[in-house]
Amino acid sequence: MNFSRAIGRMAADTSGVWDVHDEACALKANGEDIILFSIGDPDLPTLDITVDHAIASLKAGRTHYSPGAGEKPLRQAIADIESRASGRATAIDQIVIHPGGTNAIFTTLSCFLDEGDDIVIPTPMYVGYQGLLAAVGANVVHVPLDANDNFSLDVDAVKKAFTDRTRVLFLNTPGNPCGNFIGEEQLRELAAFCLERRVWIVCDEVYSMITFGRRHVSLLKAAASLENVVVIDALSKSHSMTGWRMGWTVSSQDTARRILAFASATIFGCCQFVQDAAAFALQNDEEYMRAIADEYRVRRDYALERINAIPGLSANRPGAGMFIMLDVSQVAPDGLEFAQGLLRHGKVSVLPGVAFGETTRQFVRLSLTHPVHIMSKAFDRIERFAGSRLAGSTEQEARNGDMR
Ligand SMILES: Cc1ncc(COP(=O)(O)O)c(C=O)c1O
């Protein structure tokens, strides 16, 4: 039987980047003492009052079809938040609700791209984009971030990557996996550059609420016009609600109508009681948001302290999000080999950096999804493993020296 070209592209991933994680999960299920640092699912629970609200909503019979664009109270709560954050009055009909950030991205890209169109994306990029890009059949043009400058974006390099086939510039700030920011000026300049060329600029901001000191600036604030702009956000990470599947798009009203047409046809409305809980969460989250960001900051600081004390390892300093990129180039040929060895000998699973693109082949990504006492155990193992690799390569060098 024949399958579609889209599924052919989507099923063709042979990179094996999830192999280490899959093996780690299988070992863990077999009772082995594995510490999973390889996936970005927060260990922190959804707030109790949000869960209680969802239960009350379920019991009140909120189990029916919902409007395609989403429930009004949730869209209003989001419009209020976006208006406050961007200083730009945002109306409810600029917001469309989607079942998770992933679906919001898929819907948005489906509205803008035909097979073979160019999409420009800085890399390293979130691993989940690959399947979405394969689904829409876009031709991906990567622009490397500067690994020597905390993964900063070079605006001129982005501009140079544009061709007459470019339909979308896709940005992610704060970024996964590097916790890097794209600054307000850079966003403004790129939005104007795109508008001039009638190119869409889409910004994934799902880590906007987990920042450490520096404040996130939304493309909604930076762009002079929303004519070519879509911003995507979700509750998955910020509110530890990955399994609830709740995300949204913000755009001009005209663009929102197209996004709504696609979402209505393919999703036909999101779960009512989940939307009720999401609206409640967004209106009662101030303390929780502070606590979550503080907890990730404590974990980031602990991880950096440990990494900086391990010879042969170094890391960038993420300003946001829940990940750290570990440079393993001094102790392993690449991140994949390091991740395989660490799982085998140290029982810690990390994600090889090549999952995010060539720029980070020499890195592995660690998720900050364990409390410090578990991180401490994991870093003891990482330290032993890196130490053994360093000792091994020193012995090898000495042997090579003898032979010379
Ligand atoms: C940058 C980025 N965008 C989108 C997503 C997907 O979000 P969701 O779980 O809401 O689909 C993730 C998840 O890890 C992410 O890191």
Side-chain angles (χ1 to χ4, degrees):
M1 297 302 296
N2 291 325
F3 291 93
S4 68
R5 284 198 299 271
I7 194 60
R9 290 188 297 264
M10 292 165 83
D13 178 16
T14 53
S15 60
V17 291
W18 288 106
D19 291 356
V20 174
H21 174 75
D22 292 344
E23 190 186 336
C25 291
L27 292 170
K28 200 172 165 65
N30 259 346
E32 290 212 31
D33 176 23
I34 304 286
I35 302 176
L36 288 179
F37 266 167
S38 42
I39 190 132
D41 198 350
D43 60 315
L44 307 167
T46 305
L47 204 56
D48 271 350
I49 51 171
T50 305
V51 174
D52 290 344
H53 198 87
I55 293 169
S57 176
L58 251 177
K59 289 201 165 151
R62 297 275 293 154
T63 55
H64 295 273
Y65 284 131
S66 175
E71 295 287 332
K72 276 194 174 159
L74 173 59
R75 292 165 73 213
Q76 188 60 59
I78 293 167
D80 292 345
I81 287 170
E82 301 290 4
S83 301
R84 273 199 305 275
S86 68
R88 178 196 288 275
T90 306
I92 182 171
D93 48 8
Q94 293 175 251
I95 314 286
V96 179
I97 307 299
H98 306 265
T102 305
N103 184 264
I105 298 167
F106 176 62
T107 295
T108 302
L109 294 185
S110 300
C111 292
F112 300 157
L113 288 161
D114 288 309
E115 245 177 279
D117 286 344
D118 278 9
I119 177 168
V120 174
I121 307 189
T123 53
M125 68 172 193
Y126 163 52
V127 58
Y129 295 155
Q130 274 164 21
L132 293 168
L133 293 164
V136 293
N139 176 44
V140 184
V141 179
H142 295 291
V143 180
L145 296 171
D146 186 354
N148 297 318
D149 184 25
N150 219 9
F151 296 98
S152 59
L153 181 80
D154 178 348
V155 168
D156 290 332
V158 172
K159 290 180 178 176
K160 278 198 196 105
F162 275 50
T163 68
D164 54 7
R165 289 190 311 278
T166 306
R167 296 282 169 276
V168 176
L169 169 63
F170 193 95
L171 303 175
N172 170 212
T173 183
N176 173 8
C178 301
N180 57 305
F181 290 97
I182 304 175
E184 183 169 357
E185 256 322 301
Q186 294 181 303
L187 290 170
R188 180 172 302 123
E189 190 177 338
L190 287 170
F193 181 79
C194 287
L195 186 57
E196 222 176 280
R197 282 157 188 76
R198 313 307 294 164
V199 167
W200 294 99
I201 176 165
V202 180
C203 197
D204 175 349
E205 303 185 4
V206 306
Y207 294 99
S208 61
M209 296 183 239
I210 309 178
T211 59
F212 315 133
R214 178 171 169 176
R215 280 178 76 89
H216 159 78
V217 176
S218 173
L219 176 62
L220 292 176
K221 178 166 195 272
S225 155
L226 292 193
E227 192 183 342
N228 63 331
V229 164
V230 177
V231 165
I232 288 158
D233 210 334
L235 287 182
S236 301
K237 313 293 176 148
S238 56
H239 291 68
S240 292
M241 291 175 72
T242 46
W244 298 68
R245 312 312 298 134
M246 215 5 66
W248 59 89
T249 44
V250 191
S251 63
S252 73
Q253 288 160 356
D254 184 48
T255 307
R257 272 195 291 278
R258 317 299 170 103
I259 289 176
L260 171 58
F262 193 94
S264 298
T266 54
I267 301 296
F268 207 56
C270 295
C271 204
Q272 281 184 321
F273 63 90
V274 170
Q275 293 186 75
D276 293 346
F280 178 81
L282 284 169
Q283 285 160 332
N284 295 275
D285 62 359
E286 219 168 288
E287 226 173 279
Y288 184 63
M289 294 312 307
R290 248 196 312 273
I292 277 204
D294 284 349
E295 177 62 23
Y296 284 120
R297 185 209 298 252
V298 165
R299 295 177 183 187
R300 177 204 63 172
D301 290 347
Y302 177 77
L304 288 176
E305 190 187 313
R306 290 298 304 264
I307 293 163
N308 290 335
I310 301 177
L313 296 185
S314 60
N316 74 314
R317 187 178 174 78
M322 41 195 280
F323 307 104
I324 287 203
M325 293 303 276
L326 192 60
D327 182 342
V328 298
S329 54
Q330 288 186 47
V331 295
D334 61 25
L336 179 60
E337 210 263 6
F338 180 90
Q340 288 164 338
L342 179 62
L343 179 60
R344 195 162 310 127
H345 303 294
K347 295 189 187 300
V348 174
S349 92
V350 293
L351 201 61
V354 73
F356 310 99
E358 279 304 315
T359 329
T360 43
R361 183 173 277 282
Q362 311 291 352
F363 289 74
V364 295
R365 189 192 74 176
L366 268 78
S367 304
L368 302 173
T369 48
H370 291 288
V372 164
H373 72 275
I374 295 182
M375 292 175 77
S376 156
K377 202 164 127 184
F379 275 110
D380 289 347
R381 297 180 187 183
I382 292 173
E383 188 165 7
R384 272 196 300 276
F385 175 67
S388 72
R389 298 301 297 259
L390 215 50
S393 60
T394 314
E395 277 166 28
Q396 187 62 43
E397 273 168 27
R399 272 199 299 276
N400 290 347
D402 287 349
M403 277 157 67
R404 276 196 295 271

